[in-house]
């Protein structure tokens, strides 16, 4: 049992159960995809109510330690991949540095008209021509993100003729003469909708990370506006802070 903190305040029951479950996972050596005991058994083991056991489990689900499958049970989640915000890298570069094989399911690569939000981000007029690339990005065969890139047509039209299933979009842009200089990126917690859930292999309403980025070239022109929905159970963002 976990002791109370030094200030003498008692820890809530659900928190003690949560940390005990975490310790149980480590002690038993449970790995990704292995099932933990059902709530009924957790209630008996820790002498708590069904509500307390459920809250403890849901806390671990929200932290990405566990995941639930309706009608099947609760399972140990895989290790989260970390992304350092101080580095500007493509998904392909990011995964390759971890020794993971990157593949993409290309949903669309087409010329389109810039919607208002895209036009603002790229400094274009609404309705101007752009290139839109939508892909499911996978690492070692597991879907990690649904990514939609909106690119200036004058700088990215060559992408329309490229097979992006295994290649890097940024690498193709570099081949076309684009020199990537910097990016402005934002992060927001979100829940996946039905479409995103289908592509990411998650239940609808699962926690996810919405990343929006505007990328600039060496002439400080915004050439890309990308929206990516990352699985919350497999992806973590870290920031290095220096004085």
């Amino acid at each position: 049992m976990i002791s109370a903190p030094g200030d003498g305040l008692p820890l809530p029951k659900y928190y003690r159960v949560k940390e005990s479950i975490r310790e149980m996972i480590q002690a038993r050596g449970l790995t990704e995809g292995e099932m933990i005991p059902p709530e009924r058994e957790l209630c008996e083991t820790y002498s708590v109510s069904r509500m307390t056991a459920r809250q403890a489990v849901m806390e671990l689900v929200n932290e990405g330690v566990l995941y639930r499958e309706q009608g099947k049970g609760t399972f140990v989640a895989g290790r989260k991949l970390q992304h350092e915000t101080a580095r500007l890298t493509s998904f392909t570069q990011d995964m390759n540095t971890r020794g993971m094989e990157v593949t993409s399911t290309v949903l669309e690569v087409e010329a389109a008209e810039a919607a208002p939000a895209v036009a603002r981000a790229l400094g274009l007029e609404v309705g101007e021509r752009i290139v839109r690339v939508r892909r499911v990005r996978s690492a070692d065969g597991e879907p990690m993100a649904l990514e939609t890139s909106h690119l200036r047509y004058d700088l990215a039209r060559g992408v329309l003729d490229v097979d992006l299933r295994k290649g890097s979009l940024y690498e193709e842009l570099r081949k076309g003469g684009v020199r990537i200089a910097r990016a402005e990126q934002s992060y927001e917690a979100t829940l996946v909708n039905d479409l995103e859930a289908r592509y990411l292999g998650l239940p609808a309403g699962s926690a996810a990370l919405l990343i929006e980025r505007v990328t600039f070239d060496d002439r400080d022109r915004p050439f890309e506006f990308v929206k990516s929905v990352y699985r919350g159970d497999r992806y973590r963002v870290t920031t290095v802070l220096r004085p």
Side-chain angles (χ1 to χ4, degrees):
M1 190 64 68
I2 299 172
S3 60
D7 57 12
L9 294 176
L11 290 170
K13 278 187 179 181
Y14 82 86
Y15 184 89
R16 295 200 299 268
V17 174
K18 180 185 78 167
E19 294 306 314
S20 294
I21 293 173
R22 196 195 305 272
E23 292 172 0
M24 178 266 292
I25 292 171
Q26 296 173 346
R28 296 186 184 181
L30 298 181
T31 58
E32 179 179 354
E34 292 193 69
M35 184 185 295
I36 69 165
E39 286 180 3
R40 173 177 43 77
E41 187 175 330
L42 293 175
C43 293
E44 296 172 357
T45 300
Y46 301 114
S47 300
V48 294
S49 68
R50 193 77 172 257
M51 183 179 297
T52 298
R54 182 173 294 122
Q55 185 176 0
V57 169
M58 288 311 301
E59 287 273 326
L60 291 169
V61 170
N62 292 336
E63 291 178 14
V65 176
L66 302 173
Y67 67 93
R68 308 187 81 169
E69 290 190 7
Q70 190 67 35
K72 294 184 178 179
T74 306
F75 304 85
V76 178
R79 178 177 58 87
K80 286 192 177 185
L81 300 176
Q82 294 196 137
H83 172 72
E84 292 185 11
T85 59
R87 300 176 62 225
L88 174 56
T89 59
S90 68
F91 180 87
T92 301
Q93 292 171 320
D94 202 14
M95 295 301 110
N96 283 344
T97 59
R98 294 171 167 80
M100 305 179 79
E101 182 182 0
V102 174
T103 55
S104 297
T105 301
V106 180
L107 305 177
E108 61 179 359
V109 180
E110 61 182 8
E113 295 182 352
V118 174
R120 283 195 303 272
L122 296 179
L124 303 173
E125 296 294 329
V126 174
E128 274 196 66
R129 209 173 192 195
I130 61 167
V131 174
R132 183 168 59 221
V133 178
R134 181 171 287 124
R135 297 174 290 174
V136 177
R137 314 304 307 278
S138 299
D140 285 350
E142 182 177 17
M144 295 292 298
L146 177 61
E147 178 184 275
T148 305
S149 296
H150 309 84
L151 303 141
R152 286 180 53 135
Y153 184 83
D154 58 338
L155 298 177
R157 58 181 178 271
V159 171
L160 293 169
D161 301 318
V162 173
D163 183 356
L164 293 174
R165 286 175 295 179
K166 289 195 174 182
S168 166
L169 175 60
Y170 278 8
E171 184 59 34
E172 295 300 330
L173 290 170
R174 288 189 182 95
K175 290 178 183 178
V178 177
R179 298 291 175 260
I180 301 170
R182 66 183 181 90
E184 297 175 359
Q185 192 156 276
S186 64
Y187 303 84
E188 183 178 340
T190 189
L191 302 177
V192 296
N193 59 32
D194 290 340
L195 181 66
E196 293 160 349
R198 177 156 58 89
Y199 285 126
L200 295 177
L202 297 171
S206 297
L209 183 65
L210 172 63
I211 301 178
E212 294 187 352
R213 182 176 69 246
V214 179
T215 316
F216 298 80
D217 67 8
D218 57 354
R219 294 168 58 183
D220 212 35
R221 294 177 298 181
F223 68 87
E224 176 199 42
F225 172 57
V226 59
K227 295 182 68 172
S228 302
V229 178
Y230 278 82
R231 293 177 54 153
D233 63 336
R234 296 307 309 273
Y235 207 74
R236 172 184 294 169
V237 175
T238 61
T239 303
V240 178
L241 302 176
R242 294 185 175 88

